[in-house]
Amino acid sequence: MTTARRLRIRVRGRVQGVGFRPFVYATAVRLQLTGYVLNDRDGVLIEVQGVQVDALITELRERPPPLARIDAIGSDWIPLIDGESGFAVASSGQGGALHTEIGPDVGVCSDCLRELFDPANRRYRYPFITCTHCGPRFTICARLPYDRPQTSLAGFPLCPDCQREYTDPGNRRFHAESTACAVCGPRLSVDPRKILAQLRQGDIVAIKGIGGYHLACDARNEKAVARLRLRKQREARPLALMVCNLASARVLALVDDVEAALLTSKERPIVVLRARPDNGIAAAVSQELPTLGLMLPYTPIHWLLCHAAAGEPDGLEWLAQPQPLALVMTSANPHGEPLVHTDADARERLAGIADLIVDHDRPILVRCDDSVLRVVDRTPAFIRRARGFVPEPIDLGSDGPCVLGVGAFLKNTVCITRGREAFVSQHVGDLDNPEARRFLGESVAHLQRILDVRLEAVACDWHPDFPSTEFARQSGLPITPVQHHHAHVAAVAAEHGVSGPLLGLALDGYGHGDDGAAWGGELLRVDAAGFERIGHLAPLALPGGDRCARETWRCAAAALHALGRGDEIATRFASEPLAPMLRQLLDRGLAPTTSSAGRWFDAACGMLGLHWHSSYEGQGPMALEALVDDPEALDGAWRIEAGTLDLAPLLAALAEPRLAARSGANRFHGTLIAALADWVKRAATIQDIAVVALSGGCLLNRVLAEGLLTTLRAAGLTPLLPRLLPPNDGAISLGQVAVARKLLRAC
Ligand SMILES: [Zn+2]
Ligand SMILES: [Zn+2]
């Protein structure tokens, strides 16, 4: 084609505040096209005229700016305009830029990294370097529209040099709302070289990051790590590490191609990897677990620390070479409360923990933890979803009212819908402390402001006493309570776009059932806005109620009792002073019961002598999973009657005297997978449904998740695992809004 034509192009998606207009401008100029580009309420509007208009469309589709997300490109041929010259960035539709969507916080881009380490660049070693392709968004934006006065950069007027870049449509900092330099921008309170020196001498340093403070120390220094654990009172949970680059990560852990892509992605999550033996990392980092949670640098401050540790070499070669630096970088959340994110809070709450507090004067407007993922079935799976991914929307497939989902209790999130999109908040955490309950309110308010929506309804858990349920009641909005496991399954259906009936296998710790009982090992049929409980795990007694989640021997005692072997409780758990009393409690049938899958895991741990007293929920089961090297299914070690799956025979096999923990772990996992698959397959035949949602915190267990996927696929079924959200209660808020919107539509 050699004749000039004119095209009007409409681009929808996340195309504002991501350098889209400079990209179109530069491309159009290069292709010798005339016309204009502008932002408006619907996204980006382009008119181009010239010979190579098709090439522009190709560029848009194939090489958009890194942070753009194009949902749709539409185009129409329009009449040529005579005498047009040049390409312009036109002023926006109404009232300046209208950024309708705010992106997540992402790591430093390669262009900024090059400038950061270029002595000739005016931002050489500037700890807040950023551009339209990188840096913070979600945590620095107060409300829509995303313009500098609405961000935490409002107090930093641009210097003439920055202003020139900001107004130059050919510059990658054109309308980069968070841009700054050493002349006009935020400042770091301590030089990175000094931070490194203190870390090297074994000190604990609190460092202000993107969504809050980290507590850092030298991960190779056993004493420093032990001191950090002691001061933070973070008993036994594994600590995350930061290393300089992929080559350094490979020295410490086994990294396959999927894991490598995840580690180096712009989202920069913590990735749980298999640790290499004798890697020099302090044993106190992961305790008994054979894994390491690793992440790579994502702020300029992290990069400056790495550069200092590498001896401040010239050039960029060091970025690809293994570096010995390994830092513990754990969220500064004393006593399990939410992350510390304000400077005043840091001084008050971290004073007794950190030897040095490093802050800066760019405020964090909303806290946001690091995200944590693991690769399951060669695909990333969330353990915790926060920085880098929030507020990325999930497409619900159709429009509906604006609904808030307030989640449940543990590992909580909230969710707000706008049109056909659902925005799940960052990880809020367990609502067992006032600070977390405050964070719940903050998260709702912040999401509402950055989405610019008015709520029409609220959905909550069935549990009447959860703080989230109370929050829903006080909102003054019409309330839709949604059953816990129904929400789990609905969340998986929503993210996978399943609209028809499906089976749901929900395996978790606890959820309130419609009979008021404790549920947690549920086989549901979910259809439209309703669900039917077609099966559940055989109930297990909970002698001591909530204490069972932290004392695995209690669940094992309950399982023994259920096997008619109550006599063995006192001798088997002889070191437990309460064992005889527990026996009496069970004999008299006074203990509440639960169908929870989590408690069957605990019972297995208790039977095998693992973590009779654990310091956090899931510690025993994680240790159990870590032992598995060759899962083995025991024939006939389960019973299915009237939809109920009973694992008592499996527990009997684990009660064998002198059974090695590793054999027990292999038998438990292998048999559990076979039993669950048998149960699901029978239900699939009876219900004539092939799609099965797998959800609940137990699916964080990779052996279980991969085993179920493989077995169910082999049976011709379509198992679905959560991919956009974690399988645990972090997904409940999405399930709640999905169900509530269907109910509201039905009214
Ligand atoms: Zn950049
Ligand atoms: Zn400046």
Side-chain angles (χ1 to χ4, degrees):
M1 187 73 63
T2 51
T3 53
R5 293 176 303 163
R6 189 174 185 87
L7 199 56
R8 177 180 289 150
I9 306 165
R10 157 66 64 200
V11 191
R12 291 174 210 272
R14 189 172 60 234
V15 289
Q16 300 178 352
V18 293
F20 209 86
R21 289 174 298 167
F23 161 75
V24 173
Y25 174 88
T27 311
V29 169
R30 181 162 52 78
L31 296 171
Q32 296 173 307
L33 304 173
T34 61
Y36 66 88
V37 55
L38 61 77
N39 279 349
D40 65 11
R41 259 191 198 289
D42 295 320
V44 164
L45 185 69
I46 308 166
E47 282 194 19
V48 276
Q49 177 167 321
V51 176
Q52 301 189 71
V53 287
D54 294 322
L56 181 85
I57 298 268
T58 308
E59 288 293 305
L60 288 177
R61 287 192 198 283
E62 292 177 6
R63 277 172 287 276
L67 299 189
R69 193 200 64 243
I70 296 178
D71 295 338
I73 301 181
S75 59
D76 292 301
W77 296 110
I78 54 172
L80 289 170
I81 294 182
D82 284 340
E84 187 182 55
S85 69
F87 192 87
V89 176
S91 58
S92 299
Q94 315 130 326
L98 288 161
H99 302 305
T100 53
E101 189 176 327
I102 287 154
D105 306 303
V106 300
V108 181
C109 73
S110 53
D111 289 334
C112 284
L113 200 57
R114 205 175 313 119
E115 293 173 356
L116 182 64
F117 296 121
D118 175 6
N121 191 279
R122 68 186 193 87
R123 289 191 180 85
Y124 178 57
R125 296 181 48 82
Y126 178 57
F128 302 92
I129 187 169
T130 173
C131 73
T132 47
H133 301 163
C134 72
R137 295 279 190 287
F138 176 67
T139 54
I140 59 159
C141 183
R143 59 182 65 77
L144 279 182
Y146 175 59
D147 279 335
R148 195 168 176 97
Q150 314 266 35
T151 71
S152 58
L153 275 301
F156 300 94
L158 294 171
C159 69
D161 284 338
C162 286
Q163 182 70 32
R164 203 171 307 122
E165 295 168 340
Y166 183 87
T167 50
D168 172 6
N171 195 288
R172 97 175 186 280
R173 293 195 172 87
F174 179 66
H175 281 273
E177 306 302 345
S178 58
T179 190
C181 74
V183 174
C184 64
R187 281 156 206 264
L188 191 63
S189 68
V190 183
D191 186 280
R193 297 174 180 119
K194 158 114 166 92
I195 302 172
L196 183 74
Q198 290 216 213
L199 288 167
R200 280 191 166 149
Q201 72 185 41
D203 281 349
I204 294 163
V205 183
I207 305 173
K208 187 174 177 182
I210 295 288
Y213 281 76
H214 279 117
L215 288 168
C217 74
D218 180 356
R220 298 178 192 276
N221 184 329
E222 202 74 62
K223 278 188 189 151
V225 178
R227 203 177 316 123
L228 173 58
R229 281 200 180 277
L230 190 70
R231 291 193 194 165
K232 200 188 167 192
Q233 297 179 18
R234 185 186 178 106
E235 4 60 22
R237 268 178 240 255
L239 300 168
L241 303 189
M242 181 174 282
V243 293
C244 293
N245 50 34
L246 185 58
S248 315
R250 291 193 193 279
V251 175
L252 303 182
L254 300 168
V255 186
D256 71 19
D257 55 333
V258 183
E259 292 162 336
L262 200 49
L263 271 174
T264 54
S265 66
K266 63 184 188 303
E267 292 84 6
R268 294 290 162 122
I270 296 167
V271 183
V272 178
L273 303 163
R274 289 146 297 162
R276 287 188 190 276
D278 305 316
N279 56 17
I281 297 302
V285 167
S286 294
Q287 307 279 44
E288 80 219 282
L289 296 176
T291 50
L292 270 186
L294 289 188
M295 62 179 152
L296 303 186
Y298 56 87
T299 72
I301 301 169
H302 300 153
W303 281 116
L304 290 169
L305 277 173
C306 289
H307 190 229
E312 304 196 11
D314 291 336
L316 298 172
E317 288 74 35
W318 66 278
L319 291 172
Q321 295 157 353
Q323 304 293 338
L325 184 74
L327 296 176
V328 167
M329 288 287 261
T330 182
S331 302
N333 57 343
H335 317 296
E337 291 178 351
L339 193 58
V340 171
H341 73 301
T342 66
D343 300 347
D345 213 17
R347 283 190 292 274
E348 190 186 315
R349 289 165 67 203
L350 302 179
I353 301 177
D355 301 299
L356 172 70
I357 295 179
V358 180
D359 56 26
H360 55 70
D361 49 0
R362 185 179 70 194
I364 297 172
L365 298 183
V366 64
R367 44 191 143 195
C368 194
D369 280 276
D370 293 316
S371 293
V372 187
L373 289 104
R374 188 179 193 184
V375 171
V376 175
D377 189 43
R378 302 268 308 147
T379 312
F382 280 98
I383 295 171
R384 181 171 76 198
R385 180 181 177 272
R387 178 186 52 75
F389 299 94
V390 176
E392 198 65 45
I394 293 169
D395 186 1
L396 294 176
S398 60
D399 267 321
C402 176
V403 180
L404 164 69
V406 292
F409 183 68
L410 295 175
K411 307 188 174 58
N412 205 38
T413 62
V414 297
C415 176
I416 291 180
T417 62
R418 183 177 73 178
R420 55 185 283 163
E421 294 175 318
F423 296 82
V424 178
S425 75
Q426 67 275 46
H427 167 82
V428 171
D430 301 349
L431 301 181
D432 57 358
N433 62 81
E435 191 66 19
R437 296 195 278 276
R438 202 155 38 238
F439 186 16
L440 174 87
E442 281 170 27
S443 305
V444 172
H446 185 248
L447 263 186
Q448 245 178 297
R449 283 196 304 266
I450 65 164
L451 298 175
D452 195 18
V453 289
R454 253 190 49 216
L455 301 172
E456 295 168 66
V458 60
C460 64
D461 197 89
W462 274 10
H463 197 296
D465 303 328
F466 280 169
S468 54
T469 308
E470 179 58 26
F471 184 92
R473 275 195 291 264
Q474 292 189 356
S475 69
L477 297 163
I479 300 187
T480 307
V482 179
Q483 200 278 328
H484 192 87
H485 304 98
H486 182 199
H488 265 303
V489 176
V492 181
E495 70 154 274
H496 286 278
V498 179
S499 52
L502 76 162
L503 293 179
L505 181 63
L507 305 171
D508 75 348
Y510 168 77
H512 196 75
D514 63 1
D515 49 2
W519 290 11
E522 310 302 314
L523 189 52
L524 308 181
R525 180 199 157 102
V526 170
D527 199 353
F531 78 96
E532 184 191 344
R533 190 190 197 200
I534 56 178
H536 56 82
L537 292 184
L540 195 61
L542 282 174
D546 288 346
R547 298 181 68 174
C548 291
R550 294 271 183 116
E551 297 185 27
T552 63
W553 72 276
R554 287 174 182 263
C555 295
L560 271 181
H561 194 270
L563 288 163
R565 293 163 63 173
D567 290 347
E568 295 173 34
I569 292 174
T571 44
R572 202 171 181 108
F573 306 106
S575 64
E576 294 295 333
L578 294 177
M581 220 173 74
L582 214 71
R583 160 94 200 270
Q584 286 174 20
L585 203 72
L586 290 163
D587 278 346
R588 284 192 248 141
L590 292 176
T593 62
T594 178
S595 57
S596 163
R599 299 298 83 81
W600 283 98
F601 271 90
D602 291 330
C605 292
M607 219 61 108
L608 297 167
L610 291 171
H611 290 283
W612 282 2
H613 295 263
S614 55
S615 52
Y616 59 93
E617 196 190 12
Q619 189 181 16
M622 279 165 78
L624 188 69
E625 181 195 354
L627 289 172
V628 177
D629 54 7
D630 187 17
E632 177 195 351
L634 302 174
D635 281 341
W638 67 89
R639 285 190 291 265
I640 298 172
E641 274 168 38
T644 301
L645 172 62
D646 190 356
L647 299 166
L650 169 58
L651 268 290
L654 298 188
E656 233 175 71
R658 286 179 299 282
L659 176 69
R662 187 175 301 277
S663 315
N666 280 326
R667 288 177 195 175
F668 179 74
H669 282 82
T671 311
L672 180 65
I673 291 162
L676 290 169
D678 182 17
W679 192 33
V680 169
K681 281 188 274 185
R682 293 188 200 195
T685 306
I686 294 168
Q687 301 285 335
D688 194 22
I689 297 175
V691 180
V692 188
L694 305 175
S695 187
C698 296
L699 271 308
L700 289 171
N701 182 313
R702 176 159 60 184
V703 176
L704 176 65
E706 290 182 344
L708 282 173
L709 288 175
T710 308
T711 318
L712 295 175
R713 280 178 195 144
L717 302 178
T718 308
L720 302 173
L721 208 59
R723 291 301 181 186
L724 303 178
L725 293 177
N728 62 26
D729 288 2
I732 291 290
S733 62
L734 174 68
Q736 289 172 342
V737 299
V739 173
R741 295 222 315 181
K742 283 186 181 160
L743 281 170
L744 290 166
R745 208 170 296 146
C747 293

